[in-house]
Amino acid sequence: MARGQAAGPEVDSVQLMEQFRAIAHATHNRTNARMSAAGLSLARFRVLSALQAAGQMRMNELSAALGVVPRTVTTIVDALEKDAMVARLPDPADRRATLLQLTEDGLSQLLRFRALHDSAAAELFDVLTATEKHQLAELLLRLQAAADSGAISAARPELADLQPPQR
């Protein structure tokens, strides 16, 4: 069988997209509920994780890294700063800018919640074999690359009218 050829009847792309979206939504909500019950939302966890990975970052860099609007990041960072998990520091390269940095308490909380986050992920993916996980990872990389590169629009020019105008 050639690559890309289906083994059975053709699978509807819209159904796949809706199933993908439903799984992402359900796992996000389940993980967020579990983490929130223990004291830290998934959104706050993501901010702390990004700051740990980067060391220090500006608010706009954090917003871009998380793929959310700056106002969302500001609200989360304000709360994390109030809880002494994140510190705002002057940027030595630009006195108008502020750097964000994880505090020791923030790191401690992050490490505590990472185990909870990891166990939620394991619960979902433990239904797959090691081979299936590898195959899924490869497929997801291909889908991500297509989504990031604009290949989706290039492959389907009839959808170009549905794209939001570029500013």
Side-chain angles (χ1 to χ4, degrees):
M1 188 175 336
R3 181 183 167 147
Q5 204 172 22
E10 188 173 330
V11 178
D12 183 274
S13 296
V14 173
Q15 288 174 333
L16 282 174
M17 186 171 64
E18 290 305 317
Q19 187 174 10
F20 187 83
R21 190 176 295 142
I23 291 166
H25 184 74
T27 57
H28 174 86
N29 288 344
R30 184 176 179 183
T31 304
N32 189 49
R34 197 179 276 182
M35 292 181 78
S36 293
L40 188 74
S41 72
L42 188 53
R44 286 181 172 200
F45 174 81
R46 291 184 65 219
V47 167
L48 295 176
S49 294
L51 289 175
Q52 182 196 26
Q56 295 180 337
M57 1 177 35
R58 292 181 179 173
M59 195 82 76
N60 62 340
E61 294 168 335
L62 180 59
S63 174
L66 298 176
V68 297
V69 297
R71 181 69 197 133
T72 300
V73 169
T74 301
T75 302
I76 295 168
V77 167
D78 287 348
L80 289 169
E81 183 181 35
K82 182 179 177 239
D83 293 341
M85 288 190 254
V86 169
R88 284 184 166 101
L89 307 168
D91 185 343
D94 182 353
R95 64 185 181 147
R96 298 166 298 166
T98 301
L99 293 173
L100 303 171
Q101 180 176 302
L102 199 58
T103 64
E104 286 299 320
D105 191 38
L107 179 60
S108 172
Q109 291 293 323
L110 175 62
L111 296 177
R112 187 168 73 90
F113 282 93
R114 183 161 285 141
L116 187 60
H117 181 267
D118 292 354
S119 72
E123 267 182 35
L124 174 65
F125 291 103
D126 280 352
V127 301
L128 302 176
T129 66
T131 300
E132 290 169 331
K133 287 177 190 177
H134 183 75
Q135 290 169 333
L136 179 59
E138 287 180 352
L139 293 171
L140 291 173
L141 281 172
R142 285 176 48 202
L143 288 172
Q144 185 68 53
D148 289 345
S149 72
I152 295 169
S153 297
R156 302 286 307 271
E158 69 274 19
L159 299 179
D161 292 343
L162 301 176
Q163 301 297 320
Q166 300 296 319
R167 294 179 186 227

